[in-house]
Amino acid sequence: MGAEEFVPARAGLGKLRTAAASCRGCELYKNATQTVFGAGPADARVVVVGEVPGDQEDRQGEPFVGPAGRLLDRAFDDAGLDRSTTYVTNAVKHFKFVERGKRRIHKTPSRTEIVACRPWLDAELDRVGPELVVALGAVAAKALLGQDFRVTKERGKVLPMGERDQRVLATVHPSSILRSDDREAAYQGLVADLAVAAKALR
């Protein structure tokens, strides 16, 4: 189980995206509408890694196009980051969900599914070669920094990314802000973390 055999060696982002559409590295492809690969410029200074595509992303085939994506766009603007020059992707490329009536509710991917999908994320980071990676939420942060990493304790800090010669900053996922009881305070916390990222790039 794993995506490694589906990832073409030395391929650019376009060929990686095409190849990912046929990935069968885990069971999630069976129920998802399509693979949701990353999007953005190949020379982006920042790569944003989310957790897993949501309902709208699954339907449209693009990352961060739903409510959480729109909130992220606004937070980028408020933090002084240029969203148009950022590459965005997810740790897992297929939507995982449970059905409740006519609604499809996001479900957190398992550790096995995250590990299975990691070759795609590694390939994206290799091709883009960003100066900084921003991990949104616990799934993305643990995929990049290990199972013991806690976003609540280490958010907003620029850290080395283990074996990779890249830096990473972890923060909350925008979807958690949409669920927050104090949405404005949670949003300002995200903006503050992203402002640290913006400062690190200056």
Side-chain angles (χ1 to χ4, degrees):
M1 189 175 189
E4 192 165 4
E5 66 181 279
F6 298 93
V7 181
R10 295 181 295 278
L13 289 173
K15 288 186 177 180
L16 285 172
R17 175 186 276 265
T18 299
S22 301
C23 186
R24 303 293 183 264
C26 76
E27 298 294 306
L28 293 182
Y29 78 92
K30 293 182 177 179
N31 294 318
T33 304
Q34 59 193 315
T35 304
V36 180
F37 202 67
D43 60 350
R45 296 179 70 195
V46 180
V47 168
V48 172
V49 181
E51 300 188 341
V52 64
D55 181 72
Q56 289 301 312
E57 288 80 8
D58 176 66
R59 296 180 192 279
Q60 297 183 43
E62 295 290 335
F64 290 97
V65 293
R70 291 191 290 275
L71 189 146
L72 180 65
D73 290 347
R74 182 161 63 93
F76 258 64
D77 286 342
D78 289 346
L81 287 167
D82 187 350
R83 173 69 168 76
S84 68
T85 62
T86 300
Y87 185 90
V88 293
T89 190
N90 284 295
V92 174
K93 311 302 188 196
H94 285 109
F95 182 33
K96 183 174 184 178
F97 61 92
V98 292
E99 292 184 297
R100 292 181 186 164
K102 293 183 178 181
R103 297 179 64 204
R104 301 189 302 169
I105 307 300
H106 157 271
K107 189 174 180 183
T108 301
S110 69
R111 177 65 183 162
T112 300
E113 290 157 349
I114 295 165
V115 171
C117 208
R118 180 63 191 260
W120 291 116
L121 181 57
D122 283 337
E124 289 173 296
L125 293 175
D126 287 343
R127 303 312 184 271
V128 178
E131 295 177 39
L132 184 68
V133 179
V134 175
L136 301 177
V139 169
K142 289 181 178 182
L144 294 166
L145 293 162
Q147 279 295 101
D148 294 333
F149 187 84
R150 295 291 179 268
V151 174
T152 50
K153 292 183 178 180
E154 299 291 336
R155 63 179 291 182
K157 299 177 183 178
V158 178
L159 303 168
M161 201 195 312
E163 72 280 3
R164 301 191 68 89
D165 186 25
Q166 287 164 330
R167 300 177 298 162
V168 61
L169 178 144
T171 185
V172 296
H173 196 284
S175 63
S176 70
I177 294 169
L178 296 173
R179 299 190 301 268
S180 175
D181 292 333
D182 189 345
R183 191 176 293 187
E184 182 58 28
Y187 176 76
Q188 292 303 328
L190 172 62
V191 171
D193 290 344
L194 294 177
V196 174
K199 186 177 179 180
L201 291 168
R202 293 193 190 112

